[in-house]
Amino acid sequence: MKPVADVVLSPPFNLSGFHSGSLRPPSPSFAGIQSLDWQLARVAQEKFDAYWATQKPTFLPPDIYGRFKEAWLDLGAGTGGFFLELSARHPDILFVPVERCKTRGKTLARRTKKFKRDNFLGIRGNVVAHIASAIPAASLDRIYILYPCPWVKNSQRKNRWFLHPIMPHIVRALKPGGLLVWASDQRFYIEEARYVCGKKYPLEEISFGPLAPNEINLLADFPQGRTKFEADFLGQQQPCFELIVRKNAD
């Protein structure tokens, strides 16, 4: 039977903001688990994979990810300011911000041309196509998903990244030991992402809870916010939340 509505999960947060340990999904007694499991069962993975197997989008040369010490991807990067700043500090790391929005994507493309840094390659385009068809397996050391559209309506939840058929490809693109860094102003989004990452994927929880500086999220280097959305939320003293998971070694 189809669940009639989303119900927010409410597992307790780790209030320290940083901890390590195995990712343990909330108990099935938590409301909303049935709804998430139902949606996971409906993901049209085979159809999605079959389509993208026939597509050959041109973004970056596949071997470029191996030319640097590390490679990081920002999924939905806006104008790319976060990675632009990092690229100046870490010339041995490849930073690939991708943005689909026409306005923000144009700004990102202009910044790439203006600064002409070998390790900053902004892409205006469909990140789904980029991940599904243009990134070899085990190529990325970090993937950031910062303040994505939460798709709050029940009818829209299939578009949430962790319920989208692109999610297995996101995990595939990570190297063993690679990090997937989520942040949102929507607590339910992070809680649901935590449940799905723990239930379905070989991902170990590193951090979960209210957003606070730690050795991975780089917030200490960007106290005003890593993105425009984050800066706005923090400026308004609006609570934000994060999930950081690590891909298990093969």
Side-chain angles (χ1 to χ4, degrees):
M1 180 181 296
K2 179 178 177 180
V4 296
D6 280 328
V7 181
V8 174
L9 305 177
S10 300
F13 278 154
N14 166 40
L15 297 179
S16 68
F18 187 84
H19 74 286
S20 61
S22 299
L23 187 64
R24 294 184 295 276
S27 165
S29 64
F30 281 96
I33 296 299
Q34 181 184 9
S35 178
L36 286 172
D37 287 344
W38 180 86
Q39 190 66 53
L40 284 170
R42 290 179 59 83
V43 174
Q45 196 67 53
E46 292 184 5
K47 182 178 180 180
F48 178 89
D49 292 346
Y51 172 77
W52 285 110
T54 67
Q55 305 302 305
K56 301 297 180 184
T58 301
F59 291 103
L60 300 174
D63 66 342
I64 196 168
Y65 299 97
R67 300 178 192 174
F68 292 81
K69 177 183 176 182
E70 293 187 9
W72 297 11
L73 174 73
D74 190 349
L75 188 160
T79 59
F82 176 42
F83 269 18
L84 182 63
E85 177 65 27
L86 288 174
S87 68
R89 303 180 190 183
H90 305 283
D92 56 343
I93 297 177
L94 174 65
F95 294 93
V96 182
V98 184
E99 176 56 53
R100 184 176 183 176
C101 170
K102 181 178 180 180
T103 302
R104 293 191 293 269
K106 282 185 175 181
T107 299
L108 174 60
R110 286 197 299 268
R111 284 181 161 182
T112 300
K113 291 181 181 180
K114 176 181 177 180
F115 288 92
K116 297 180 180 180
R117 293 176 185 162
D118 292 341
N119 69 327
F120 179 80
L121 301 176
I123 298 172
R124 177 195 164 200
N126 184 354
V127 74
V128 169
H130 186 61
I131 296 174
S133 299
I135 301 181
S139 295
L140 299 173
D141 296 88
R142 292 194 188 187
I143 299 176
Y144 285 85
I145 305 178
L146 303 180
Y147 304 92
C149 178
W151 300 103
V152 297
K153 293 183 179 179
N154 190 53
S155 60
Q156 300 172 331
R157 77 180 158 191
K158 66 181 180 180
N159 296 314
R160 298 170 195 164
W161 287 113
F162 47 84
L163 294 174
H164 191 284
I166 195 59
M167 184 63 184
H169 295 273
I170 291 175
V171 177
R172 173 191 59 81
L174 281 173
K175 296 177 182 177
L179 298 169
L180 178 55
V181 182
W182 308 75
S184 177
D185 64 313
Q186 300 294 318
R187 174 173 172 163
F188 86 89
Y189 192 94
I190 294 300
E191 292 179 329
E192 290 189 357
R194 184 195 193 210
Y195 174 75
V196 175
C197 286
K199 177 182 176 67
K200 191 172 175 66
Y201 299 102
L203 298 168
E204 175 190 8
E205 182 180 306
I206 301 301
S207 178
F208 168 65
L211 182 67
N214 63 50
E215 62 189 66
I216 292 175
N217 65 22
L218 305 179
L219 193 61
D221 294 331
F222 296 85
Q224 303 304 314
R226 296 164 295 182
T227 72
K228 183 181 184 303
F229 284 128
E230 188 169 78
D232 289 344
F233 296 143
L234 295 178
Q236 298 164 11
Q237 296 185 331
Q238 182 170 337
C240 296
F241 310 94
E242 80 169 351
L243 171 69
I244 301 176
V245 291
R246 177 189 292 126
K247 184 177 179 179
N248 294 334
D250 293 338

